[in-house]
DNA sequence: AAATCGGACTGT
DNA sequence: ACAGTCCGATTT
């Protein structure tokens, strides 16, 4: 007996993620073509992927799934019961919103989501505090720190105008933008996460006329969406210390914040590469100064303030990392040329 | 082995 | 509809 008889399914076939992708410190995932890097482990047999970031190939935002097993098989959400997939080390790659915790909010473009834990397995009532060390919760904290994309799935439940009338809908990618511990009225501590939508291609079903204005959220994430796996590796290599000022910005959870800055910009018309030789680890201020042309680099990786054309710092580099002079030269020509000044490299050599 | 925002089945 | 019970698959 087919338990799915009578149910219309959309795109029920699942496709294994295809092509090559970057891996984290564990084994390479078989395949992935999404715009983000993907991670995963391969079992001894070499087939089972357990962690995968981004949207799997062949899956679209808005796609319907009849139950948790289908989500599992499509690599959209691997756990068959738990709401959060992930670990502290790897980060969390997906969540399911099913209204299982009071106080959650679903505003479409942003979500307030409770962590897991502290529930009586028999009564589904909260009987204990939640912990930031539970695997899924710690994973979402890691995803926040690393700006990893989180797949969001909505299940049928009351309280969300975006929830499907039955089954589950894959709702695309979100970023964790905040987390905090919260004391509930019943005296139990829970952990809460704010997630903001980062792929806008597929509109959510408009269920009310006054949708929240997503402009601010999209502005925040527009730079982070480009945070490639390589950029994350560079940040880790430098312990999140800016290569210009050597400052690391402390955040919560004993973590730090930095940004991966592409020297020759990606995309048209610049066509820079997402490669280690084209990425710097910078604090937000120097990243902005660099991207806005207030700072250029000599071939010797001296930082020049373009307002006064004076060197003010020598970039620090760590082992096995070099930025190609050609990329620095491209960036230099981009900004000095645009100001009608000579981009002749000789003018930027430090005078001995 | 424990934990997990399921799922199908029973009752009101 | 809804709530409780039992039986869970998968991952950690």
């Amino acid at each position: 007996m087919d338990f799915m008889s009578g149910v219309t399914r959309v795109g029920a076939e699942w496709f294994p993620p295809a092509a090559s992708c970057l891996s984290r410190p564990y084994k390479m995932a078989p395949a992935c073509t999404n715009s983000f890097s993907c991670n995963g482990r391969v079992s001894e047999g070499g087939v089972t992927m357990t962690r995968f970031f981004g949207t799997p190939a062949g899956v679209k935002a808005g796609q319907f799934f009849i139950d948790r097993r289908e989500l599992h098989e499509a690599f959209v959400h691997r756990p068959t019961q738990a709401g959060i997939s992930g670990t502290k080390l790897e980060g969390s790659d997906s969540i399911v919103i099913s209204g299982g915790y009071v106080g959650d909010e679903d505003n479409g473009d942003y979500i307030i989501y409770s962590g897991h834990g502290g529930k009586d397995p028999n009564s589904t009532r909260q009987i204990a505090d939640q912990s930031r060390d539970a695997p899924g919760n710690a994973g979402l904290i890691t995803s926040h720190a690393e700006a990893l994309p989180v797949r969001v799935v909505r299940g049928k439940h009351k309280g969300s105008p975006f929830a499907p009338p039955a089954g589950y809908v894959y709702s695309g990618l979100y970023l964790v933008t905040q987390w905090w511990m919260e004391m509930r009225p019943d005296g139990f501590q829970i952990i809460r996460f704010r997630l903001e939508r980062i792929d806008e291609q597929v509109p959510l079903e408009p269920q009310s006329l006054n949708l929240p204005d997503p402009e601010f959220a999209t502005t925040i994430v527009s730079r982070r969406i480009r945070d490639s796996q390589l950029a994350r590796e560079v940040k880790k290599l430098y312990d999140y210390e800016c290569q210009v000022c050597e400052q690391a910005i402390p955040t919560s959870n004993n973590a730090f914040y930095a940004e991966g800055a592409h020297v020759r910009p990606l995309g048209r018309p610049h066509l820079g590469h997402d490669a280690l030789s084209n990425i710097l680890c910078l604090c937000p201020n120097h990243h902005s100064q660099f991207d806005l042309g207030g700072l250029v680099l000599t071939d010797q990786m001296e930082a020049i303030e373009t307002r006064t054309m004076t060197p003010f710092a020598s970039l620090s580099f760590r082992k096995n990392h070099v930025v190609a002079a050609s990329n620095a030269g491209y960036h230099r020509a981009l900004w000095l040329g645009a100001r009608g000044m000579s981009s002749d490299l000789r003018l930027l050599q430090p005078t001995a």
Side-chain angles (χ1 to χ4, degrees):
Chain A
M1 191 61 173
D2 183 1
F3 72 96
M4 289 178 280
S5 60
V7 175
T8 303
R9 296 189 297 164
V10 180
E13 311 87 21
W14 73 269
F15 302 86
S20 65
C21 67
L22 300 165
S23 72
R24 302 187 99 185
Y26 25 86
K27 286 185 191 170
M28 191 88 91
C32 142
T33 52
N34 54 53
S35 57
F36 300 95
S37 58
C38 76
N39 312 301
R41 285 177 301 198
V42 178
S43 72
E44 281 304 305
V47 281
T48 306
M49 186 180 344
T50 60
R51 186 84 50 229
F52 177 86
F53 287 85
T55 299
V59 172
K60 298 191 201 96
Q63 187 169 333
F64 174 76
F65 296 85
I66 189 63
D67 57 14
R68 292 288 295 262
R69 174 155 297 280
E70 280 200 350
L71 290 168
H72 168 84
E73 291 171 352
F75 285 95
V76 173
H77 188 74
R78 292 295 285 175
T80 51
Q81 293 193 202
I84 308 172
S85 168
T87 63
K88 180 174 187 176
L89 180 67
E90 298 168 301
S92 284
D93 53 324
S94 59
I95 64 169
V96 173
I97 309 173
S98 294
Y101 289 86
V102 292
D104 283 7
E105 297 175 31
D106 185 1
N107 292 281
D109 289 306
Y110 76 92
I111 297 160
I112 308 299
Y113 186 77
S114 297
H116 61 195
K119 277 199 170 182
D120 178 11
N122 298 323
S123 71
T124 74
R125 277 194 295 265
Q126 202 75 25
I127 57 167
D129 289 342
Q130 291 185 343
S131 163
R132 72 189 70 185
D133 298 320
N137 301 345
L140 282 172
I141 292 174
T142 297
S143 293
H144 172 244
E146 307 276 327
L148 294 168
V150 180
R151 292 184 297 276
V152 169
V153 175
R154 289 184 169 86
K156 172 195 174 187
H157 66 284
K158 293 175 287 191
S160 167
F162 304 100
Y168 297 86
V169 168
Y170 171 54
S171 299
L173 300 176
Y174 286 66
L175 285 178
V176 182
T177 56
Q178 293 177 40
W179 68 269
W180 63 95
M181 300 301 295
E182 189 173 313
M183 180 66 75
R184 298 199 339 177
D186 58 16
F188 293 116
Q189 276 223 323
I190 59 166
I191 183 167
R192 285 222 140 114
F193 301 91
R194 181 185 172 105
L195 294 101
E196 298 185 10
R197 194 156 184 244
I198 56 176
D199 56 346
E200 312 277 330
Q201 297 93 330
V202 180
L204 297 167
E205 258 86 342
Q207 304 288 337
S208 78
L209 291 178
N210 46 351
L211 289 171
D213 184 354
E215 265 184 51
F216 185 59
T218 48
T219 303
I220 286 178
V221 301
S222 62
R223 181 153 58 180
R224 286 180 157 223
I225 196 172
R226 295 191 166 194
D227 208 339
S228 68
Q229 177 66 23
L230 278 176
R232 292 194 280 271
E233 286 179 16
V234 170
K235 292 192 289 185
K236 281 184 187 169
L237 174 65
Y238 286 89
D239 298 318
Y240 299 88
E241 288 181 15
C242 175
Q243 289 183 251
V244 174
C245 63
E246 303 190 14
Q247 298 296 306
I249 297 175
T251 61
S252 61
N253 207 33
N254 201 25
F256 295 90
Y257 179 80
E259 295 177 354
H262 286 93
V263 179
R264 176 171 176 164
L266 304 179
R268 294 180 185 279
H270 309 295
L271 301 179
H273 293 124
D274 186 31
L276 289 174
S277 60
N278 193 37
I279 300 175
L280 293 166
C281 174
L282 298 179
C283 68
N285 279 354
H286 284 125
H287 188 187
S288 297
Q289 187 181 7
F290 186 79
D291 279 354
L292 297 175
L295 187 173
V296 296
L297 301 175
T298 67
D299 284 357
Q300 288 72 34
M301 299 300 146
E302 297 282 328
I304 310 287
E305 193 206 67
T306 55
R307 189 175 63 90
T308 57
M309 289 306 288
T310 53
F312 70 99
S314 180
L315 264 60
S316 64
F317 279 87
R318 298 201 177 173
K319 64 177 160 96
N320 300 329
H321 183 223
V322 291
V323 162
S326 58
N327 289 327
Y330 186 95
H331 177 264
R332 217 159 47 223
L334 181 64
W335 288 104
L336 299 184
R339 287 172 45 169
M341 301 167 65
S342 171
S343 59
D344 188 329
L345 306 190
R346 286 167 300 183
L347 295 181
L348 292 171
Q349 305 300 323
T351 50

